Amino acid sequence: MQAIKLDEFLNYHFLSNVKLSPSANKAAFVVSKSNEEKDGYTSGIWTVDLNTKECRMLTAGKDESSFLWLNDDTLLFTSRRDRTKPEEVDQYYTDCFVISLHGGEARKRMTIDAPARVVASIDADTYLLDVSYDNNLPENFFTMSREERQKLLASRKEEKDYEVFSELPFWRNGAGITNLQRSRLYLYHAVEKVMEPLTEAKYQLEGYDLSQDKKKLVYCGSDFQGVESLKQELVEIDLATKEKTVLVPLASWNIHHVVYAGEKIVVTATENKKYGINENANLYCYDRENKKLQLISQPDRSYYSSVGSDCRYGGGKSMVGEEDGITYITTERNWSKINHVSFDGMISSLTADEGSVDCMDKKNGRLVYVAMRKTGLQELYTVEHGEEVCLTQINAMALEGKSVVTPKMIRFTDTDGVEIDGWVLEPVGFDPQKSYPAILDIHGGPKTVYGAVFYHEMQYWANCGYFVFFCNPRGGDGRGNRFADIRGRYGQEDYDDIMQFTDQVLSAYPQIDKGRIGVTGGSYGGFMTNWIIGHTHRFAAAASQRSISNWISMEGTSDIGPYFGMDQAGGNAWENFDQAWWHSPLKYADKCTTPTLFIHSDEDYRCWMVEAYQMFSALKVHGVESRICLFHGENHELSRSGKPNHRIRRLKEITDWFNHYLKEEK
């Protein structure tokens, strides 16, 4: 068997955005792949005939990831394939192409004078657009000629040396500076080349759906002025008359999803009253007669997949409305699956309790989904006669002949009587008579989960001769609100769970050298790594990634800081300061002795780089061996969707750090 290499992920394909055709006899989906030469990712559209099972690549472009079905034989997609010059003005135009499934070259259908995603075709001439709208530009910008735009943008270059912020958040992770920028809905009339706005210029759009007859549109959001609201209103528009009806006013509801289910409008929503911002939403149907939300189901689970992996790229649907109810992805224990809930609240499982389901679509009784099964990579699946059927073999060769390690579960009951799930990857070629180093890996969130799915970095470390172990402590997803709720207790029961899990692993595997164990994690896992090195000396080395070290500074710099810090840590600079500081790993930096590597990105606006700077500086001042590797132009998603060369360097930095402290003779 061949060892899994550090850059092995360059050979993997990532599937996303699956959509069924109008008849549901065919499906199209996006396949992306790392491109080391261009230090980015290429994406193309593939199709599969669900009757014949024939699967083929439809477009071989470099950036084709947004598409829609015009009919059963034709797709419309956006692409920059005709762009030859990287002009700044080009980003404000969108080229749309059509391609037949029966062959032939893609033909340009239209160019929209705005940065847009084409959401739906209303009729032969009219399209629904989701437009990136910048309130910093003149209102007539989309009607300007290319020359006028070029002149305006050139004059604005003088202002690139400074930024003006007037709202919170003023930046968003993965999107950069977003002050006064919005997602805005339009109807586009292709013949007249006219864009007709449906939502207001400063409206913060959170979700929307088009009715099956394409006559109505429902959306949720809020009028964003100054500080973003955590609550949303629910609005319906008659697309013929443009009449708007506020169904649920902006008051107490945090609405996560909104879909049409036949004639009904269904939302997942919560009032965040009992468990804060991480509270699982319930499923409601809008009662048109009584003008209020009517409860359908409260499963106490999330309506999406939170199973972690570093082998995905791109998104897709997690919920579909139907005549008899809703089909949705949910996270249960340590896997994600697809459920259906009827309007009488009956829940039925459509897929197995295994691995992860990453996106899906369902129509006319047919279900397709992207999933990771056992220790394999993503493929496209369907269900026929109650049995799961794999429709693709796109990643079949990627792991063939490779030393893939199957995770072994360790489930135990902690001292509080709570059952905790964890796994161990044994080192490749494991010899029970030998001694080995080990790495504890901690997930982010904290409201996510680890499962038994393929994780490249962990498999690589196992191939490098490490035991790798990981678990789902309290604070994570898949076990309900009570299990996930650690507000005001970060670093307490979650820390205890992780330490007790470590004890369990060491008891099960005496081959692990207790003096050669490392710890790492990202985001919440980075916070916990920072916390651990200030509360125990049992680890020989640490790698803290995209971490939180100070809840006070996090509140004032993170794109979610104004609400996340107070909600989760239970304090801020003005209220319960002592509690927020007590939960800050920086407070305990003077107790640290563990050599620590910090991995961070300068465009990580979720946990800004000052979090790493503060902890790194504190360790240096107190004489602890430490190093920081800052990645320019990357954000919070570095390990999952960062530039390929940066992902390689990141993993090399962490592995070299552990090799030095856990393998080399001292």
Side-chain angles (χ1 to χ4, degrees):
M1 301 291 282
Q2 295 179 324
I4 291 177
K5 299 180 294 184
L6 184 147
D7 62 352
E8 199 78 47
F9 71 90
L10 296 173
N11 300 319
Y12 304 158
H13 292 84
F14 311 112
L15 281 61
S16 63
N17 200 24
V18 61
K19 297 179 184 179
L20 285 163
S21 66
S23 70
N25 288 320
K26 300 169 185 175
F29 55 100
V30 175
V31 177
S32 304
K33 192 174 185 295
S34 303
N35 187 315
E36 189 178 14
E37 181 181 346
K38 296 185 180 299
D39 203 14
Y41 299 84
T42 58
S43 298
I45 302 170
W46 289 52
T47 61
V48 61
D49 188 306
L50 298 179
N51 295 320
T52 66
K53 305 300 188 290
E54 179 187 3
C55 179
R56 67 187 181 94
M57 180 191 298
L58 186 64
T59 73
K62 300 176 181 178
D63 66 340
E64 290 138 8
S65 59
S66 178
F67 70 91
L68 59 92
W69 288 93
L70 294 180
N71 54 55
D72 252 26
D73 299 312
T74 311
L75 289 176
L76 181 144
F77 64 92
T78 60
S79 176
R80 300 177 65 83
R81 56 172 55 196
D82 282 359
R83 305 293 176 88
T84 57
K85 297 179 181 179
E87 297 178 20
E88 184 179 2
V89 73
D90 268 359
Q91 66 181 302
Y92 295 100
Y93 292 87
T94 303
D95 291 335
C96 300
F97 298 80
V98 293
I99 188 168
S100 171
L101 271 61
H102 299 298
E105 290 293 320
R107 297 176 289 105
K108 184 181 287 188
R109 166 67 62 89
M110 59 192 176
T111 295
I112 301 167
D113 295 340
R117 186 166 61 91
V118 183
V119 177
S121 171
I122 305 298
D123 56 42
D125 173 54
T126 311
Y127 299 87
L128 178 64
L129 305 183
D130 186 336
V131 172
S132 297
Y133 187 87
D134 189 347
N135 282 283
N136 297 290
L137 294 171
E139 288 186 25
N140 65 336
F141 184 78
F142 291 153
T143 60
M144 286 182 176
S145 66
R146 179 175 288 270
E147 291 73 23
E148 290 172 323
R149 291 188 185 193
Q150 196 81 52
K151 184 177 180 180
L152 173 65
L153 294 174
S155 69
R156 285 167 54 89
K157 285 184 178 180
E158 299 176 5
E159 300 186 8
K160 288 298 181 182
D161 287 342
Y162 57 88
E163 297 278 359
V164 176
F165 302 147
S166 58
E167 60 186 27
L168 288 176
F170 46 78
W171 56 25
R172 294 180 190 273
N173 185 69
I177 304 299
T178 58
N179 192 69
L180 295 178
Q181 296 182 17
R182 302 290 188 268
S183 177
R184 194 175 183 189
L185 296 177
Y186 286 81
L187 286 181
Y188 181 68
H189 305 282
V191 174
E192 300 89 348
K193 295 185 177 182
V194 171
M195 292 172 53
E196 183 180 5
L198 298 176
T199 56
E200 293 74 26
K202 292 185 180 180
Y203 194 85
Q204 184 66 24
L205 187 67
E206 297 294 343
Y208 55 88
D209 195 28
L210 186 68
S211 63
Q212 191 170 357
D213 62 10
K214 300 182 181 181
K215 293 181 179 181
K216 292 184 178 181
L217 176 76
V218 64
Y219 64 86
C220 60
S222 62
D223 187 19
F224 182 5
Q225 301 287 340
V227 180
E228 182 179 12
S229 173
L230 289 181
K231 307 299 181 182
Q232 292 81 37
E233 63 180 358
L234 186 67
V235 182
E236 188 174 42
I237 302 178
D238 185 310
L239 294 181
T241 65
K242 308 305 182 296
E243 180 183 356
K244 295 182 182 180
T245 304
V246 177
L247 306 177
V248 177
L250 183 67
S252 62
W253 290 103
N254 182 357
I255 302 174
H256 298 173
H257 296 85
V258 54
V259 295
Y260 278 103
E263 296 292 321
K264 297 180 172 67
I265 294 173
V266 177
V267 303
T268 62
T270 174
E271 294 184 279
N272 303 119
K273 288 182 176 179
K274 189 172 182 180
Y275 293 102
I277 62 171
N278 280 341
E279 186 171 276
N280 286 321
N282 294 324
L283 193 68
Y284 296 88
C285 180
Y286 180 70
D287 184 337
R288 293 183 184 275
E289 182 178 350
N290 295 304
K291 299 182 179 180
K292 65 177 184 179
L293 296 178
Q294 185 71 40
L295 180 66
I296 299 174
S297 176
Q298 43 187 352
D300 193 19
R301 295 294 185 269
S302 56
Y303 291 90
Y304 51 84
S305 175
S306 59
V307 178
S309 175
D310 54 0
C311 295
R312 301 187 184 102
Y313 187 84
K317 293 180 185 177
S318 63
M319 179 174 290
V320 175
E322 301 175 90
E323 291 287 342
D324 63 341
I326 300 295
T327 296
Y328 62 97
I329 297 174
T330 186
T331 300
E332 181 73 36
R333 195 85 191 199
N334 51 66
W335 59 83
S336 56
K337 59 190 288 189
I338 300 176
N339 282 347
H340 176 81
V341 57
S342 61
F343 287 120
D344 60 6
M346 295 296 295
I347 297 176
S348 55
S349 296
L350 303 184
T351 60
D353 297 347
E354 176 194 358
S356 75
V357 175
D358 302 331
C359 64
M360 52 81 72
D361 197 12
K362 190 182 181 191
K363 188 180 296 180
N364 299 345
R366 235 166 188 166
L367 176 68
V368 290
Y369 51 98
V370 173
M372 299 178 75
R373 293 302 189 223
K374 301 188 185 302
T375 52
L377 296 166
Q378 289 178 318
E379 297 291 353
L380 188 69
Y381 294 83
T382 189
V383 174
E384 295 181 351
H385 309 295
E387 298 294 326
E388 184 170 85
V389 177
C390 186
L391 296 169
T392 61
Q393 297 293 319
I394 293 172
N395 278 307
M397 302 298 293
L399 298 178
E400 187 172 351
K402 301 295 181 180
S403 297
V404 178
V405 181
T406 300
K408 294 189 174 181
M409 174 172 269
I410 291 182
R411 177 175 286 168
F412 73 99
T413 301
D414 68 14
T415 54
D416 291 337
V418 179
E419 201 171 59
I420 301 298
D421 295 345
W423 296 264
V424 176
L425 296 182
E426 296 174 351
V428 171
F430 172 51
D431 182 347
Q433 304 305 313
K434 292 184 178 180
S435 177
Y436 293 88
I439 299 172
L440 165 64
D441 206 339
I442 305 170
H443 69 59
K447 200 182 174 189
T448 62
V449 297
Y450 276 142
V453 300
F454 187 90
Y455 222 112
H456 170 253
E457 69 176 32
M458 295 190 197
Q459 292 286 339
Y460 170 64
W461 290 329
N463 275 258
C464 289
Y466 287 96
F467 273 93
V468 185
F469 58 104
F470 48 100
C471 71
N472 292 329
R474 279 171 285 181
D477 201 11
R479 304 274 296 274
N481 282 317
R482 186 175 177 184
F483 185 88
D485 184 21
I486 57 170
R487 291 171 302 153
R489 302 189 307 280
Y490 273 55
Q492 293 179 263
E493 58 255 49
D494 49 346
Y495 171 74
D496 292 340
D497 290 344
I498 293 169
M499 292 301 100
Q500 290 180 48
F501 171 65
T502 301
D503 294 337
Q504 292 286 327
V505 172
L506 294 179
S507 176
Y509 290 96
Q511 297 84 3
I512 295 176
D513 185 339
K514 295 179 181 179
R516 294 192 293 152
I517 306 176
V519 58
T520 188
S523 195
Y524 165 78
F527 158 84
M528 184 51 70
T529 300
N530 291 343
W531 184 268
I532 284 172
I533 63 175
H535 288 78
T536 180
H537 305 306
R538 72 187 300 179
F539 296 95
S544 175
Q545 306 171 59
R546 60 187 192 279
S547 66
I548 295 173
S549 65
N550 183 347
W551 284 103
I552 306 300
S553 58
M554 189 270 184
E555 179 182 10
T557 57
S558 171
D559 60 353
I560 61 173
Y563 57 86
F564 188 83
M566 183 64 179
D567 182 81
Q568 296 294 294
N572 59 24
W574 305 276
E575 299 177 58
N576 298 330
F577 175 90
D578 289 344
Q579 178 159 335
W581 180 238
W582 190 92
H583 287 289
S584 298
L586 188 63
K587 172 180 169 63
Y588 310 98
D590 61 335
K591 307 295 191 300
C592 297
T593 60
T594 307
T596 303
L597 168 71
F598 294 93
I599 300 288
H600 225 94
S601 302
D602 65 358
E603 293 181 9
D604 184 341
Y605 301 140
R606 185 62 37 82
C607 300
W608 199 34
M609 58 187 176
V610 296
E611 299 303 310
Y613 286 171
Q614 291 176 88
M615 201 70 184
F616 168 72
S617 299
L619 264 58
K620 281 293 188 184
V621 166
H622 289 92
V624 181
E625 286 296 320
S626 52
R627 168 185 173 92
I628 188 167
C629 182
L630 183 71
F631 289 85
H632 295 300
E634 295 290 356
N635 60 56
H636 202 63
E637 302 302 309
L638 168 63
S639 65
R640 297 172 285 237
S641 59
K643 295 176 181 177
N645 288 331
H646 286 173
R647 291 178 66 178
I648 292 170
R649 176 61 184 271
R650 166 199 163 270
L651 189 52
K652 183 177 186 303
E653 284 281 339
I654 298 171
T655 307
D656 288 351
W657 187 261
F658 283 145
N659 286 345
H660 176 68
Y661 287 100
L662 307 183
K663 284 188 173 183
E664 295 178 10
E665 293 290 336
K666 297 295 184 291

